[in-house]
DNA sequence: ATTGTAGTTTCACTATTCGGAACCTAAGGG
DNA sequence: CCCTTAGGTTCCGAATAGTGAAACTACAAT
């Protein structure tokens, strides 16, 4: 589940160490990191020191452990507010959840993975930090497939081989070929289905959020259990979902340039 | 409100640019950044490119703008989960909020600022990503003063001069001297008061979360309005607050080393 | 005393980064 | 149609920062 990025440059190396620390689920000692690090002792040591002085990591002198620093939380707050669909989508997700009584997800792509940015649970109406920020696979979730299907060809070709194609359930799509044809279907229908691909008993419908210029910005899904409902019934919500998605897209574009009605510059190529 | 950090090293420079982009409240063009950047054109350009390839920034080719990347959200999720008090404090905050019917905050220090990590509102029982991650001043908030008071002397001396001492209300503490004596009071009483220091009509009591070794880990507060209650009545909650704080501290320490009862190593010096 | 383990520092070497200047466009003006 | 300006991008020698083997410290166990 570790994102593979070309970690060229000093910043990249630092980031890869940061990711590594993040991948442990609790504070770690120097040696724990060293053991699975590609960097030699001295180099790793210096990188860690840099990260600590930058506030991206904290070092607990008492236990001699490193952990992610809270500075990240502040940056993420800005990221969530300014760069994700989450703030503008918020009311629409709430409305959807109330209208359908089911769980709603908002997701965007982070490299090859799905990153959940918001969630609305019909019962407990609560969005938690601990929900936003979670990652999941793209090739076998409704939100993931909906996004992949509407990605520009070149980006798609870069991302497809990076999927793990792990079989979670008997229904999981486990090859790039199968996925490609599924994506073609999705493109034609305009929505994606999760037929218990990822978790047994969990089904969902998802639609992409597309900008006026057909750029894929994220996706929204309605999730339920096969015990409570069926794919057939879930499909009835597609118009609502599409409606919400297009409203989110409009709101997002309007919000980005509220005081400015100029059209975007012509794209090169 | 920009955190001042010694941005030595390549990573530091990159981070300072990242902070700068974050400080705008919407996507920005190259020149917007350049205008208030200490870096020359070419350097800034390269740094931005690095940040984009690392996924910390996204570049919107359509509008030619930079914005914070969602990768930060993922990292922050780990930070929130693994390094802050938030996950272990969660149930205690809920309990406090239900017992008192008032708003509860959980905060930690991020450099010289207060960083809010969780919030429980008595009415709408909802913790939002948009709340966690917010920053505020330390010298004139309950949570801030409670934390400063229990900071080791050397750290305190580093942080005190970095406060802005801006006068928000007639009751705001506006000098380092006044603050120092207030902190002494707080140390003696064991809790801090916000007497409408920051916002008119808003009052609060706060206590620090202290580890077994008396290290300051964060703080918890109960906030209300002077219209609804008084400082005198809020003080009645101090025992509950202190109780919650010590339970959070214990839970945090237990959680860090669940399978491991060894005592921390002796600190040097 | 001896060996081992975890963490820190040194320093000659090297790869990155720096940034002034030149170079592209595209847009606007005369 | 050429000139100018502004936003953005590329070059390349000089300057800086990063690298990592090895040596060192501190402590614990043998």
């Amino acid at each position: 589940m570790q994102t593979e990025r070309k970690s060229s440059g000093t910043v990249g190396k630092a980031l890869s160490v940061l990711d590594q620390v993040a991948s442990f689920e609790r504070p770690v000692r120097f040696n724990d990191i060293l053991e699975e690090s590609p960097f030699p002792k001295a180099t790793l040591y210096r990188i860690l020191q840099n990260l600590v002085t930058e506030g991206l990591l904290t070092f607990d002198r008492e236990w001699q452990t490193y952990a992610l620093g809270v500075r990240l939380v502040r940056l993420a707050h800005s990221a969530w507010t300014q760069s994700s669909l989450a703030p503008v989508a918020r009311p629409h997700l709430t409305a959807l959840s109330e209208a359908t009584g089911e769980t709603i997800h908002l997701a965007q792509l982070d490299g090859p993975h799905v990153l959940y940015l918001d969630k609305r649970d019909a019962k407990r109406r609560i969005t938690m930090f601990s929900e936003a920020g979670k990652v999941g696979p793209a090739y076998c979730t409704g939100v993931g497939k909906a996004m992949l299907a509407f990605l520009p060809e070149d980006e798609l070709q870069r991302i497809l081989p990076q999927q793990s194609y792990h079989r979670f359930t008997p229904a999981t799509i486990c090859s790039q070929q199968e996925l490609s044809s599924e994506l073609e279907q999705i493109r034609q229908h305009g929505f994606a289905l999760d037929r218990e691909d990822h978790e047994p008993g969990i089904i969902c419908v998802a639609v992409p959020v597309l900008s006026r210029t057909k750029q894929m910005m994220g996706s929204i899904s309605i999730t339920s259990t096969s015990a409570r409902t069926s794919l057939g019934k879930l499909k009835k919500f597609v118009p609502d979902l599409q409606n919400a998605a297009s409203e989110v897209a409009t709101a997002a574009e309007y919000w980005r340039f509220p005081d400015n009605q100029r059209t975007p510059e012509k794209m090169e190529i």
Side-chain angles (χ1 to χ4, degrees), chain A:
Chain A
M1 188 60 77
Q2 192 88 316
T3 305
E4 230 57 65
R5 292 187 207 257
K6 53 264 148 218
S7 53
S8 60
T10 312
V11 181
K13 287 170 198 166
L15 263 283
S16 77
V17 171
L18 200 64
D19 264 344
Q20 206 195 321
V21 174
S23 76
F24 287 85
E25 299 197 336
R26 52 202 187 86
V28 278
R29 306 187 127 238
F30 179 81
N31 218 44
D32 301 333
I33 308 170
L34 181 60
E35 273 165 17
E36 17 186 294
S37 177
F39 302 108
K41 217 180 184 185
T43 302
L44 179 64
Y45 180 73
R46 188 171 23 70
I47 293 176
L48 286 172
Q49 283 205 144
N50 280 339
L51 290 172
V52 169
T53 63
E54 295 306 335
L56 298 183
L57 285 181
T58 53
F59 180 65
D60 184 326
R61 299 209 304 159
E62 207 178 323
W63 278 289
Q64 319 225 119
T65 56
Y66 295 90
L68 296 191
V70 286
R71 182 184 192 181
L72 287 165
V73 175
R74 201 168 100 228
L75 278 172
H77 178 241
S78 303
W80 191 86
T81 303
Q82 103 176 188
S83 145
S84 78
L85 293 174
V88 294
R90 178 174 279 273
H92 301 281
L93 301 190
T94 305
L96 265 181
S97 139
E98 278 167 6
T100 63
E102 301 289 354
T103 299
I104 310 297
H105 279 116
L106 171 72
Q108 291 186 241
L109 277 183
D110 177 30
H113 305 304
V114 164
L115 185 123
Y116 293 99
L117 284 155
D118 208 342
K119 173 180 175 169
R120 219 43 55 86
D121 193 325
K123 307 294 155 57
R124 310 165 286 140
R125 196 164 311 125
I126 171 171
T127 308
M128 303 181 295
F129 203 153
S130 52
E131 295 293 337
K134 279 194 175 161
V135 284
Y139 69 99
C140 64
T141 55
V143 279
K145 292 189 290 185
M147 289 192 279
L148 292 180
F150 292 88
L151 221 47
E153 193 57 24
D154 55 335
E155 281 187 62
L156 183 61
Q157 290 312 321
R158 213 179 54 239
I159 287 178
L160 279 183
Q162 295 183 57
Q163 301 297 318
S164 67
Y165 300 110
H166 173 77
R167 182 181 292 283
F168 290 99
T169 75
T172 307
I173 291 172
C174 291
S175 77
Q176 195 169 322
Q177 287 84 345
E178 285 178 84
L179 180 56
S180 288
S181 65
E182 167 97 356
L183 294 182
E184 183 49 42
Q185 296 282 313
I186 293 169
R187 232 166 273 135
Q188 280 170 23
H189 295 134
F191 61 87
L193 295 175
D194 179 339
R195 313 176 174 79
E196 312 190 26
D197 288 19
H198 185 35
E199 286 180 77
I202 303 291
I203 55 177
C204 103
V205 248
V207 301
V209 178
L210 301 175
S211 75
R212 195 163 30 82
T213 55
K214 300 298 168 231
Q215 252 205 304
M216 195 282 295
M217 305 167 80
S219 70
I220 307 179
S221 73
I222 301 181
T223 304
S224 191
T225 62
S226 54
R228 194 162 61 207
T229 184
S230 67
L231 282 172
K233 286 186 198 156
L234 275 185
K235 277 191 208 167
K236 301 238 169 68
F237 292 130
V238 167
D240 292 324
L241 260 179
Q242 286 177 327
N243 218 357
S246 85
E247 279 178 41
V248 168
T250 313
E253 292 185 71
Y254 180 67
W255 172 83
R256 281 164 89 92
F257 297 96
D259 47 17
N260 185 339
Q261 296 305 337
R262 78 184 160 76
T263 50
E265 271 139 51
K266 270 278 157 294
M267 286 179 65
E268 69 278 39
I269 298 168

